[in-house]
Every structure is written in C-alpha cells, then in structure tokens.
Amino acid sequence: MTWWRALRQTTRSGLAVERRRLEPLVALRGAGGLAIVIGVSLALFGPAVAASSAFGAFQAAIATFQRSWRPRPELAIASGTSLAISTFLGYLTGSHLLLFLALLALWTFLAGLSWAAGPTIGLIATSNVAIMLVTITLPTSVAAAAGHAAMMVAGGAIQAALVIVFPVRRWGAHRDALADALAAEADYARRLRHDPVAPFDPAPLMTARAAAHITPRQARTRPAELHGARGLAERIRPVLASLADPALGAPAQGPERDRVRELLAAAGAILDAAARAIRHGTPVALPAAAISTFRTPDTGTILKGPPHRAATRLGTLLRDVVEVAGGTSPPPPPTTPTTPADPTAPADPTAPADPAAPADPTASGVGTARADGAGTPRRNLVRPGLTALAPAALRAMRADLDHRSPVTRHALRVTTVAVVGYAAGTYLPLGHGYWAPMASVMVMRPDFSQTYARAVARFGGTLVGVALATALVQLAHPGTYLSGALAAASAGLMYLLMRTGQVAAQACVAAYVVFLLGMGGEQWTQTVPERVVLTLIGGLLAMAAYAVYPAWETPRLRTRLADWLAANGRYAAAVVGHYADPAGKNCPDVRTALLATRDARAAWQEALERAEHEPVRHRGLSRAAAADAEHALSQLGRVAMLLEAHLPDRGTPPVPHAAALADALRTATEQGAKAVRERRVPEWAPVRDALDAWEPGAAPDRVVRRGGTLLLRALADLSDALDTAPPPMLVDGTDAAVRGTEETPADPGPQKPSGPGGPEAPTAR
C-alpha cells in the first residue's frame, strides 16, 4: 500500500462516525458526578480548584467507560489518584524547565510502556500525562497544588461512589458477553444447515471467557444464570460441528442430512432463546417447534453411529443451557444410579437434568470435568483485585522492554514527541504551549493506523468543538456557573458519543476545555487560536514520529503465522494423543492447548488487520498468500476440534497408532513454524510417514485415521499457500508433486470456499 492510500484510509477511519448502542444512563451518571464536583468546588474553593477537580472527575468517569471486567469504581479511584500525583509532582518541577522536561519524559515513557499491561491501563496512564500538562498551570503555590491534587482524588472518589450507589446494569457487560457467545453459536448452527463446513469466529467465546474472570467479591453476588453457561457454550461448539460435518458426521445427502438440518435449526432457536433470557434476566421462552424437534423418537431410527451420538449430546447440553439461563444450576450427580434415559432419541432440552446421566465425554471447557480426562476439573476463573494488578502490570512492562517491541518503540516515540512538543510550545510566541504535547500524547498509539486516524480526528474534532463553543460563548457570554454547567453538558455528550467515533468525542472534549477554562476567567481569544494551531502542530509531530521511527506489523506477519501454526500443532497433537491414552494421564491438557491456539489466532488477525493499513511492502508474505495460509490453519484447527468432539471415554481401548501420529504432528509443526519464520516452505514428511504406517482397525481407529488425513491435507494447503516458487516441471505429463501424493486416499472433506470476497473467515475454534 502506498503512503497516499494509507493516509486516505486512516483519514476516512478517523472522521467516520459509527452507529453504536448508546448508554444514556451511564453518560448521565458521569455528567452528574462531574456537575456535583464542579458545583461544590465553585461554592467552596473557587474557579481554579473547581477546574482541577473537574479534570479529575472527568478523567475518572472516562475510566469507568473502559471495557474492563474489573470493578469500575476502583478504576475511577485509581484514575483520580494517579492524576493527582502527576499534577502535584508536575507543579513542583514546573518552574524549572529542564527538571520538568525530565519528569515529563519519565512519566510519558512509563505511560507509553503501560500499554503492555492492556489498553485500559495504557489509556488511563496516557490521559493522566495529557491532563497533567493543563492542570499544573492552575495552582499558585505548593499548598494550593496539594489542595488541587486532593480535589482530584475527591473527584475520582465521587465518580466511584456514583457507580456504586447508582449502578446501571451491574452485571450488564457480563450478561452481554455470555449472551453474545450463545447467539454466535445459534447463528453458527443455522449456517451449518446450508454450509456443513461454515466458519466460526471464536471471538465471542474468548470475550465470554474474559468476562468469566471475576474477583472473589463478585463471585458471591454473581447472578445464577451466569454460572456455568460459558462452559456449556464451549462444549456445544464442537458438537454442532461434528453433527454437521460430512466427513466425520452425517452424510452430505439423504434423510440423515435432512434430520441434521432440523436439529441444527432447533438448536439455533433454543440457543437464541437462552441468549435473550441471559441478556435481559428474564425466563426462557422456548419455541414449541424446537422443543418438538428434540422430543421426537424418529431421530434414533434415522441417525446412527457418530451422528446419533452427537445429536444426543447436543440435546443434553441444550437442556443444561436452558436450566442455567433460567437461573438454576443442574443438580450434581448422586452416588446411586437411577433409570437411564432412552438412548434412542436426543435428550429433551426442556426436561430436568437426569442425575444418572453419564458424564459427557465432549466436555472441554473450564468449569467442567471431562469423563475422558482431557479437560480440567471444575474451578473458578479468579481475577485478582486492583492491588494485585500492579505487580502483574510491572511484569508485563518489563517483559516488553525491548527495542524491537512495538510497545517500547511507542514509548520512545511518544516520549520524544512530548518533550519536543512542550519545548517548542514554550518558546513559540503563542501561549498555552502545553496544547501541542497534549495533542501528541492523546493521539499516539502503538500502531500506525490508530495514530494517524486519531490525529486526523483530533484536529477535525477540535475545529468543530472550538467553533461551536466559541459561537456559544460569543452569543451567551456565560458567567462562572453557566460555564461550569456547559462544561458538564459537553462532558455528558462526550460520554454518550465516545464509542461512536473519535471525531465526535474530540469535538465534545474541545468544547469541554473551552468552557472549563472560561469558568476560570480565561477569554476565548486566549485559548481558541492557540489550541487550534498547537493541536495541529502536535498532530503533525505524532504522525512524523511514526514515519521516522515506525513499528510496522507487516514484517512480523510470518512470525505471527508461525506462532499460530505451532499452537495449532500442539492442540492437534494433544487431541490425537488422547486416542492413544483415553485416560489422559500422560497427555497434555486439551483445553490449555485450545486456549493457546485461540490466543495465537487472535494475535495473527490483529497483526494482519494492522498490516492492511500500513504503507509497507509484504516482504515475503503477500496478501493472497496470507489469506490462503489463514484458511489452511483455520481448517487445521477445525479438524482438530472435530476429533476432540469424538474423543473416546476413559474405558475405551486405546488406538495404538495415535501416539505416533501425535508425536509426528508435534514435531512437524514445530519444524514447520521454524521454516515459516525463515521464509522456507514447510514439509510434513513425519506426518505422512505416520499415516502411511497406519492400518485402520475398529471404529475409533478409523475416526482418528480419517482425521489425520484431513490434518495432513490442511498442512499441505499451508505449504501450497506459502510456496510462491514457479510450479515444478511436468514429467510424463504429470506434476511431480502430485505424483508424490497419489497414494493418499481421496478425501471428500471440507473444501476451501471461494467467491467474490475471497477466502472465508477463519474457522478455528
């Protein structure tokens, strides 16, 4: 991509306004807290202290809006307190330019490095540095600076108190995350009716897992319907795929396929009903048609073997989901057996849980116990409290302290720009020189597209906000209290629109600052021209810094792809290994390997998305090759997931050849990952040799042998995607590479989808 095209795309992205679900009550609460702080501070201490406390309350409210599963009151307090400390130290050194520049450099570098600990911490630290540049100009003495700092802490405490006293959907984010996961699986079930190898994006399941990490205090008050449903959703996903897959499930045509389509449609309807119930905290309203589909006894006569087993498991899991969504947990199994359920039909999702039902051998999610030993025991996902986060954040920052790391390069860039911008603004004859470094700090991010898009949005939003605020000031000539009210209204509008786009949020922020400084007695002619010019300078400095000292993702795409390949190989090897050892005593944990695969896939997709907007050549991995390689690795993960859905029970006889195949997969994918990093085409001779030595026996043996063939095909597709060399010479009219694989059995398994949009989205779990 050329620089001109990259700048054009980032400009459109920065100026775009998206339609998002607004949260007016949350915005009203934040604006109300800010109004309380401004009013009390004006009445007791005057405009200067009111401005400081307003900045603290403003920043604390923004912290509560960040996507975080931790208790948001603590975020508000932490934000206000850190801003108070920054302001006090900044005021102590502000009269000595060199000393203040040293403090600014240290504070900015730490803020830039804090992005390694997560976007929430990074944004709070960055905002503190930017606001500090304004607030240090308000006090007039050390005692006054201490008072201003105390009021900032008070502003954060008031916002935290409002979050506690007036909660808006206390568990709303957790409900939405779990409901989105179930709704995504409902959509997946419906798509499987028409496309048996339809892709599935595991992002909703990953988000639901993140939401399931809660503190011990939250665990005591969590609603009953949020217990266990995520683990069930994890288990439903492979069962749906195994039921629909034509290679390891029902045939592609015939009455079995028709029955599978009916079950998938009913499963989608039931999952949608459970998602609505969890999202709104209401009883589950199941469609009558979906219930009758699972109650009919015809399924046992139509489906046989693995498809019937998958249908039965699906009914059991849906029944458990309905119970959990209704606010009750399934009862634990008793110690004495009772009459078993009818084995000829899938379980009724509306029936109460059968305490004698055997453990589901497809269970693979955290929070469930695998009958085959491939999973992990039931346990809570405990999130540490706020005080325990500091050591973890420091470890993450220390781990990223490398000049090759994008975060470290971002910290160095933003530090240099902040110091240069502050020095330039100080010596320029404009006044209010802090606008330039503040604009730079607020727009700079560790990646190219966000930095440039935010720079454009900040300047455009500043022009709009300053123009509107100035026109209003000229028409109304507001006094101190009216200026404070207008500032609170601008902040409330920003809270409401902050997720719709950067340009709208920046326009509200610009108006907020104009009104707030006007409350302190500064005329618009003292702030508006300087802010517009210096904001432009700060944005240009930020954009120039990234061009001079970039951290491109494009050259790292092969590394990300290799990491995903290695993680997928470990996951496939762990699954295949359990066929050789059904008890799982000497096998890696399947769940751990699956989570590592998801993380590697997410890292690849994030890097690929960033690289698409960078003005850099592909350097060995073209966009077409990246798309084909992504599809191949998605199929590799999908086949491993299908094998996981058919894992044998503990007492099942082992598959002797599975151990050799697992070792071959692990070794070959590690070597293949190294080859990808070194820009070589990986080879899969160990996997091919293990399959050639295989003599299929009983049913489980044939299932894993068939799965191994599909795994090898996916690996071969990856090599084809990365092989950009000219095709080999034909010998006797036959491609040598094709003749070398003629002994591989024909495979009617999943084929690569095609269409005008290119390869489908990834299908890995």
Side-chain angles (χ1 to χ4, degrees):
M1 181 182 295
T2 63
W3 269 97
W4 171 247
R5 185 180 177 187
L7 291 175
R8 189 173 55 190
Q9 286 191 358
T10 54
T11 299
R12 283 201 301 262
S13 176
L15 298 179
V17 177
E18 302 178 12
R19 297 185 62 181
R20 294 286 185 91
R21 187 181 68 180
L22 305 180
E23 298 181 347
L25 293 179
V26 180
L28 181 62
R29 183 183 62 195
L34 181 60
I36 292 173
V37 171
I38 292 176
V40 173
S41 301
L42 279 175
L44 298 179
F45 305 106
V49 175
S52 289
S53 59
F55 275 116
F58 176 76
Q59 171 64 13
I62 291 179
T64 65
F65 277 86
Q66 301 311 306
R67 184 63 179 267
S68 174
W69 310 114
R70 303 178 182 89
R72 293 185 296 176
E74 283 86 338
L75 289 179
I77 294 175
S79 177
T81 303
S82 58
L83 178 59
I85 295 173
S86 300
T87 297
F88 184 71
L89 294 178
Y91 179 80
L92 292 181
T93 59
S95 58
H96 305 281
L97 180 59
L98 294 180
L99 188 59
F100 177 74
L101 289 179
L103 176 67
L104 178 62
L106 175 62
W107 238 234
T108 309
F109 182 78
L110 293 177
L113 201 60
S114 67
W115 286 90
T120 299
I121 295 178
L123 182 60
I124 292 175
T126 299
S127 301
N128 284 342
V129 172
I131 295 177
M132 175 196 71
L133 295 170
V134 180
T135 56
I136 61 172
T137 64
L138 300 175
T140 56
S141 65
V142 175
H148 283 242
M151 289 305 299
M152 291 176 187
V153 176
I158 289 175
Q159 292 287 11
L162 288 177
V163 172
I164 297 174
V165 176
F166 300 106
V168 179
R169 297 188 71 214
R170 187 188 301 272
W171 289 91
H174 298 75
R175 289 182 179 276
D176 288 342
L178 182 54
D180 290 345
L182 293 175
E185 291 196 328
D187 176 70
Y188 179 60
R190 285 187 289 268
R191 288 187 290 114
L192 286 174
R193 298 177 63 235
H194 310 288
D195 181 7
V197 294
F200 179 79
D201 186 354
L205 294 177
M206 298 173 68
T207 303
R209 176 176 172 79
H213 285 76
I214 58 176
T215 62
R217 179 176 63 84
Q218 288 178 317
R220 293 192 292 269
T221 60
R222 181 172 55 177
E225 56 267 29
L226 298 183
H227 286 271
R230 185 195 59 81
L232 293 171
E234 294 276 5
R235 296 161 59 186
I236 288 174
R237 155 74 175 116
V239 174
L240 289 172
S242 65
L243 180 63
D245 185 79
L248 300 177
Q253 301 293 334
E256 296 94 337
R257 176 56 54 177
D258 295 336
R259 185 57 183 159
V260 165
R261 291 192 180 102
E262 294 176 0
L263 292 174
L264 291 173
I270 293 173
L271 288 170
D272 270 337
R276 286 192 296 270
I278 290 176
R279 192 184 305 276
H280 302 291
T282 57
V284 183
L286 294 178
I291 297 174
S292 62
T293 299
F294 277 91
R295 283 180 174 172
T296 177
D298 295 341
T299 301
T301 59
I302 298 176
L303 299 180
K304 303 295 182 182
H308 178 260
R309 187 183 182 190
T312 303
R313 291 174 175 174
L314 179 60
T316 302
L317 292 172
L318 291 175
R319 178 200 63 202
D320 293 342
V321 168
V322 170
E323 289 184 352
V324 173
T328 60
S329 299
T335 56
T336 57
T338 58
T339 304
D342 181 8
T344 63
D348 181 2
T350 64
D354 180 9
D360 181 9
T362 65
S364 62
V366 173
T368 60
R370 290 282 309 249
D372 54 23
T376 54
R378 182 180 298 273
R379 63 179 183 270
N380 290 326
L381 300 176
V382 180
R383 182 181 296 279
L386 190 64
T387 56
L389 290 177
L394 291 176
R395 287 194 297 269
M397 293 166 63
R398 186 168 58 249
D400 251 313
L401 196 58
D402 188 307
H403 70 92
R404 295 169 296 182
S405 166
V407 174
T408 300
R409 295 175 75 89
H410 164 69
L412 293 173
R413 275 195 309 270
V414 71
T415 301
T416 303
V417 169
V419 172
V420 172
Y422 189 85
T426 301
Y427 289 108
L428 286 175
L430 295 175
H432 301 86
Y434 49 78
W435 292 121
M438 185 176 73
S440 299
V441 170
M442 289 301 295
V443 304
M444 295 184 75
R445 292 293 184 268
D447 66 285
F448 164 82
S449 59
Q450 285 196 49
T451 297
Y452 277 60
R454 291 177 66 89
V456 173
R458 186 167 184 86
F459 183 70
T462 297
L463 288 179
V464 174
V466 166
L468 294 177
T470 302
L472 187 56
V473 168
Q474 287 290 90
L475 292 174
H477 300 287
T480 301
Y481 283 92
L482 183 55
S483 294
L486 290 174
S490 300
L493 193 60
M494 195 278 292
Y495 297 148
L496 183 65
L497 301 177
M498 63 185 302
R499 291 197 176 119
T500 63
Q502 282 296 317
V503 66
Q506 294 301 330
C508 297
V509 171
Y512 170 77
V513 175
V514 170
F515 291 133
L516 197 63
L517 295 182
M519 182 185 68
E522 296 191 29
Q523 299 298 320
W524 71 271
T525 54
Q526 296 175 287
T527 59
V528 172
E530 294 92 338
R531 175 157 197 194
V532 172
V533 175
L534 291 172
T535 297
L536 177 60
I537 293 175
L540 292 176
L541 284 175
M543 297 169 76
Y546 208 105
V548 173
Y549 189 59
W552 305 121
E553 285 289 345
T554 302
R556 286 189 289 270
L557 285 180
R558 277 188 169 269
T559 300
R560 302 292 189 189
L561 187 68
D563 294 341
W564 188 14
L565 170 60
N568 254 348
R570 288 189 292 269
Y571 170 50
V575 172
V576 173
H578 276 279
Y579 284 87
D581 183 11
K585 296 180 179 179
N586 302 315
C587 297
D589 183 59
V590 172
R591 178 63 178 168
T592 302
L594 172 60
L595 295 178
T597 299
R598 288 181 178 174
D599 291 339
R601 173 188 178 275
W604 156 260
Q605 288 198 322
E606 182 180 0
L608 187 63
E609 182 179 357
R610 291 180 177 180
E612 287 178 354
H613 301 285
E614 293 178 350
V616 185
R617 292 184 180 274
H618 59 78
R619 297 187 183 180
L621 188 65
S622 65
R623 298 185 188 278
D628 292 342
E630 179 176 335
H631 180 269
L633 286 184
S634 298
Q635 291 300 325
L636 180 66
R638 179 182 178 277
V639 174
M641 178 269 301
L642 291 175
L643 287 174
E644 183 188 356
H646 292 281
L647 281 177
D649 297 333
R650 287 181 181 273
T652 304
V655 177
H657 296 285
L661 179 59
D663 292 338
L665 285 169
R666 191 176 296 107
T667 302
T669 50
E670 289 292 343
Q671 295 174 351
K674 183 179 179 182
V676 171
R677 294 187 184 97
E678 297 174 353
R679 301 187 182 184
R680 295 184 288 109
V681 178
E683 298 179 355
W684 316 109
V687 180
R688 186 176 292 106
D689 294 342
L691 290 174
D692 290 342
W694 197 306
E695 296 180 1
D701 191 90
R702 291 193 297 270
V703 168
V704 70
R705 173 64 173 81
R706 178 63 171 167
T709 302
L710 298 178
L711 290 173
L712 178 59
R713 165 169 287 190
L715 292 172
D717 289 343
L718 175 64
S719 296
D720 292 341
L722 298 177
D723 188 4
T724 57
M729 297 294 294
L730 296 180
V731 179
D732 298 330
T734 305
D735 192 328
V738 174
R739 290 191 296 109
T741 57
E742 284 180 350
E743 296 181 1
T744 303
D747 183 7
Q751 301 294 319
K752 178 179 176 179
S754 60
E760 291 285 347
T763 58
R765 283 182 67 196

